[in-house]
Amino acid sequence: MASTSTLTMKTIFLVLIFVSFAISPATSTAPEECGSESANPCVNKAKALPLKIIAIAAILVASMIGVGAPLFSRNVSFLQPDGNIFTIVKCFASGIILGTGFMHVLPDSFEMLSSICLEENPWHKFPFSGFLAMLSGLITLAIDSMATSLYTSKHSVGIVPHGHGHGPANDVTLPVKEDDSANAQLLRFRVIAMVLELGIIVHSVVIGLSLGATSDTCTIKGLIAALCFHQMFEGMGLGGCILQAEYTNMKKFLMAFFFAVTTPFGIALGIALSTIYRDNSPKALITVGLLNACSAGLLIYMALVDLLAAEFMGPKLQGSIKMQVKCLVAALLGCGGMSVIAKWA
């Protein structure tokens, strides 16, 4: 089942890329400067390449630390998955993911799809970024719901018998077994982990591609520190979800591996395509802009609904106002950190 879900995630990602390229319009009406490098004095290909190599190594290490830390937390007494500190850290990481969607991915999409390098019609006539983010959120909801239903049906979890005779018992729902409830929660965690990884992989490839393709040394220097911070704490959020999903060690390793290498892979791909890829070309703007919009909707939905709302409405936080305040502060700090980083990234 997990292999099928992973294949579905990869298929969705590839479809997004092909659809984005397919709807890219002709570039004949774009300004001449949109297909060439800008005259920015910071643009220097010779100096940019070593910085990109440093970025690959630094981001890979930061990603591995971030996604790996929660997976080894079972060996640390105060970081147990059912402990208060783990919950607070997870809320902080969820705030990071929410901040990424609102402060980085979605604004980038708006900026790209409103560029002067794109035709007036249709790109300046309709807010495609907001529309696709909204649509992506709803589609993520549908995938989330249907995947949970399919998993539940396959494992016969949560099937509650009802009375069939006459009398008051007719409308009474019998209690669900404790084992069924635990299994349903476990399957829910697995769906969340898979869908969240899909959204993170999409935007990680995009930001890696953009960094790898640019020759602006001023931009790259700021991005290295910002992306290391971003990947580390985003990895903590994903790692926490993977841990709660209780996959086998091999599946945990594969999910962590794909997260850790996605951004470095995007950077390497950007370096390889740097001779033909232009950040301000219409095709690049449309492709990356649409992918960012889709990724933003997915990340915002996952952060608010599957991560933060699930924690705040769960029995652990509902039983303690003090824990709710701590987790809210942690989420705000996560969002605030990503908001500050938006100044450089």
Side-chain angles (χ1 to χ4, degrees):
M1 181 191 305
S3 59
T4 303
S5 301
T6 303
L7 179 61
T8 302
M9 289 166 59
K10 292 179 179 176
T11 303
I12 293 173
F13 176 58
L14 291 174
V15 168
L16 283 173
I17 293 177
F18 286 126
V19 168
S20 300
F21 274 111
I23 66 174
S24 296
T27 63
S28 57
T29 59
E32 291 182 5
E33 64 271 16
C34 291
S36 60
E37 293 279 7
S38 66
N40 190 334
C42 288
V43 173
N44 188 319
K45 289 186 177 182
K47 292 182 179 180
L49 184 58
L51 290 175
K52 294 175 188 179
I53 303 301
I54 293 173
I56 290 176
I59 292 172
L60 178 62
V61 171
S63 299
M64 291 173 63
I65 293 173
V67 74
L71 300 182
F72 292 100
S73 64
R74 289 188 184 278
N75 301 322
V76 183
S77 58
F78 65 90
L79 283 178
Q80 292 298 311
D82 56 350
N84 291 344
I85 294 179
F86 183 86
T87 302
I88 293 171
V89 171
K90 188 179 176 185
C91 287
F92 174 77
S94 300
I96 292 283
I97 295 172
L98 183 62
T100 298
F102 272 119
M103 297 302 297
H104 293 258
V105 187
L106 190 57
D108 283 350
S109 177
F110 273 107
E111 182 180 355
M112 291 175 181
L113 296 183
S114 61
S115 171
I116 61 169
C117 295
L118 299 184
E119 294 178 342
E120 182 72 18
N121 189 20
W123 303 106
H124 294 188
K125 299 289 186 181
F126 185 78
F128 283 97
S129 296
F131 176 75
L132 283 179
M134 174 184 67
L135 195 61
S136 174
L138 289 174
I139 291 174
T140 304
L141 169 64
I143 294 173
D144 200 5
S145 175
M146 288 187 285
T148 303
S149 297
L150 289 173
Y151 278 21
T152 301
S153 300
K154 188 167 183 178
H155 289 263
S156 301
V157 175
I159 299 177
V160 183
H162 293 265
H164 292 284
H166 298 285
N170 228 16
D171 296 321
V172 175
T173 300
L174 297 180
V176 182
K177 293 181 180 179
E178 188 174 337
D179 288 345
D180 285 349
S181 178
N183 288 336
Q185 186 62 52
L186 176 61
L187 293 173
R188 182 80 189 119
F189 284 143
R190 291 182 174 179
V191 172
I192 291 172
M194 289 178 184
V195 177
L196 180 60
E197 176 137 333
L198 170 63
I200 290 175
I201 284 176
V202 171
H203 92 85
S204 293
V205 170
V206 169
I207 61 178
L209 179 64
S210 299
L211 190 153
T214 185
S215 297
D216 188 334
T217 57
C218 300
T219 299
I220 294 174
K221 290 175 182 177
L223 278 175
I224 293 175
L227 290 180
C228 284
F229 177 89
H230 169 272
Q231 290 296 108
M232 180 179 292
F233 287 103
E234 190 173 58
M236 289 177 64
L238 178 61
C241 292
I242 295 173
L243 177 65
Q244 290 181 314
E246 296 184 9
Y247 288 117
T248 62
N249 288 335
M250 178 57 70
K251 290 175 182 175
K252 288 178 183 178
F253 170 77
L254 287 176
M255 293 186 75
F257 172 79
F258 279 116
F259 166 77
V261 302
T262 299
T263 302
F265 168 76
I267 296 172
L269 182 62
I271 294 173
L273 297 176
S274 59
T275 56
I276 59 173
Y277 180 92
R278 296 290 180 270
D279 285 338
N280 55 353
S281 70
K283 274 195 175 182
L285 289 168
I286 293 171
T287 301
V288 177
L290 294 180
L291 285 174
N292 272 339
C294 293
S295 181
L298 193 155
L299 291 175
I300 291 169
Y301 169 86
M302 293 300 298
L304 285 175
V305 178
D306 283 339
L307 297 178
L308 290 173
E311 290 291 344
F312 278 88
M313 298 303 171
K316 188 181 192 65
L317 294 192
Q318 284 296 304
S320 172
I321 296 295
K322 187 177 180 180
M323 270 297 293
Q324 289 184 39
V325 172
K326 289 180 179 178
C327 288
L328 179 60
V329 171
L332 288 173
L333 287 174
C335 291
M338 292 313 297
S339 300
V340 172
I341 290 179
K343 178 178 174 63
W344 297 280

